[in-house]
Amino acid sequence: SIFNDDLWIIWKVVNFSTISWTAVFKSIPTMVALTAFSLIHVPINIPAFAISTNADADMNAELVAHGYSNFIVGIVGGLQNYMAYTQSILYAKSGGQGKASSLAVAAVTVIFFFVGPTI
């Protein structure tokens, strides 16, 4: 099972006394830049996607959804949510619409996530 003790082993094996705090402090500007980039990608990419696909976008709903997803993955140590504009345009222009095709893409992505490293 994915939710066994192996999932939380990172918190057991990290010895905080061996961390190079100098390196951590030197990486703060990069972390701030990535945070700023993460904050501005939604207000830029979502309207651009809406214009490209002639769709209406509810920015409040988009910002709330991104906030929740980033909060949840942040708690478990995952990667931030980011809208890949070109992939979204490709999906929309190739006829992808509705929940069924979205769930199919998500399922294939999950399969590749687990199978990909063994290929």
Side-chain angles (χ1 to χ4, degrees), residues 2 8 20 23 33 35-37 56 63 79 83 85 89 94-95 102 110:
I2 191 172
W8 307 108
S20 171
T35 302
F37 183 73
D56 292 329
L63 289 168
L79 297 173
M83 178 198 167
Y85 176 76
I89 291 294
S94 64
S102 299
V110 167

Side-chain angles (χ1 to χ4, degrees), residues 69-79:
S69 67
N70 285 332
F71 178 76
I72 291 167
V73 298
I75 288 175
V76 297
L79 297 173

Side-chain angles (χ1 to χ4, degrees), residues 16-85:
F16 288 100
S17 67
T18 62
I19 293 174
S20 171
W21 293 106
T22 303
V24 171
F25 290 124
K26 285 184 178 181
S27 68
I28 288 176
T30 302
M31 290 187 277
V32 170
L34 288 172
T35 302
F37 183 73
S38 176
L39 289 172
I40 65 171
H41 94 272
V42 174
I44 292 172
N45 286 339
I46 299 298
F49 178 75
I51 291 169
S52 298
T53 59
N54 295 322
D56 292 329
D58 181 357
M59 285 303 297
N60 286 333
E62 292 292 338
L63 289 168
V64 167
H66 275 76
Y68 280 132
S69 67
N70 285 332
F71 178 76
I72 291 167
V73 298
I75 288 175
V76 297
L79 297 173
Q80 70 181 15
N81 180 6
Y82 182 80
M83 178 198 167
Y85 176 76

Side-chain angles (χ1 to χ4, degrees), residues 87-112:
Q87 292 170 339
S88 298
I89 291 294
L90 177 64
Y91 172 75
K93 298 287 182 176
S94 64
Q97 52 182 261
K99 291 182 181 178
S101 61
S102 299
L103 291 174
V105 169
V108 170
T109 303
V110 167
I111 291 168
F112 279 130

